[in-house]
Amino acid sequence: MRRIALFPGSFDPLTLGHLDLIERLSALYDEVVVGVMSNPAKKPYLEDEERLRSIERSVEHLANVRVALSHGATVDLARQCGAQVMVRGLRSVTDFEYETVLAAGYRYMAPETLFLPARAECGAISSSMVRDIHSVGGDVAKLVPQPVMEALARRDARKEK
């Protein structure tokens, strides 16, 4: 049986911390599905298709990783892709508290939830930090993969028109 892990998130945008987790998961599982979750109630910083394309380009060096966009529930995506586990990254105690509550709720509807701690050098990086820095013209090149930098540049170009 193929071991499939689902790594869901909004990835708005994908950070080097996310990419590190994906690379580590790629070494542990036969297949990793990066679930790009879309919430219609929220206004994304990068549009769904832009996030999807920039993540695909960021993980193209990992043969056993695929990226899936989902507008539905995370548990539904886990079932659709045949995942045995859902993996959540942890940067802090606050993340742990939030994620354990979610995992308890998913316990009866979804596969097991596993937590993977962030490496120390990635522990402070978050998508919200990247958005905040980028929105005021700051340089986020050391926080995101190159394809995400390109997506952010396209976003800026559209805003200027």
Side-chain angles (χ1 to χ4, degrees):
M1 178 153 124
R2 289 179 50 80
R3 295 171 308 135
I4 302 170
L6 172 63
F7 182 45
S10 61
F11 307 111
D12 191 24
L14 181 81
T15 69
L16 291 176
H18 294 132
L19 184 57
D20 177 65
L21 291 173
I22 294 165
E23 289 171 342
R24 290 163 57 199
L25 289 169
S26 173
L28 296 171
Y29 289 92
D30 297 318
E31 182 179 1
V32 176
V33 178
V34 178
V36 181
M37 309 309 291
S38 177
N39 183 344
K42 292 184 177 180
K43 174 74 174 130
Y45 196 71
L46 290 175
E47 297 298 325
D48 292 348
E49 290 301 319
E50 191 72 65
R51 283 185 289 145
L52 182 72
R53 281 193 309 274
S54 65
I55 296 168
E56 286 174 337
R57 289 192 50 230
S58 297
V59 301
E60 61 189 12
H61 65 288
L62 302 167
N64 64 334
V65 175
R66 69 181 171 97
V67 184
L69 178 63
S70 178
H71 296 282
T74 305
V75 295
D76 292 337
L77 180 58
R79 285 187 202 110
Q80 289 167 11
C81 68
Q84 289 85 31
V85 298
M86 286 195 311
V87 180
R88 304 296 295 171
L90 299 176
R91 293 168 299 172
S92 66
V93 171
T94 304
D95 283 353
F96 178 77
E97 289 173 351
Y98 174 78
E99 294 295 345
T100 55
V101 170
L102 279 182
Y106 287 144
R107 181 164 287 128
Y108 303 104
M109 302 181 294
E112 189 72 35
T113 300
L114 298 180
F115 301 123
L116 189 60
R119 293 187 197 271
E121 60 270 22
C122 299
I125 303 172
S126 69
S127 293
S128 58
M129 175 200 303
V130 170
R131 290 190 305 268
D132 290 347
I133 294 169
H134 182 261
S135 70
V136 296
D139 182 10
V140 295
K142 293 182 180 176
L143 304 174
V144 298
Q146 184 58 36
V148 173
M149 283 299 297
E150 294 164 10
L152 292 170
R154 286 189 294 273
R155 180 189 187 276
D156 291 345
R158 284 192 301 274
K159 291 264 184 204
E160 290 175 8
K161 289 181 181 184

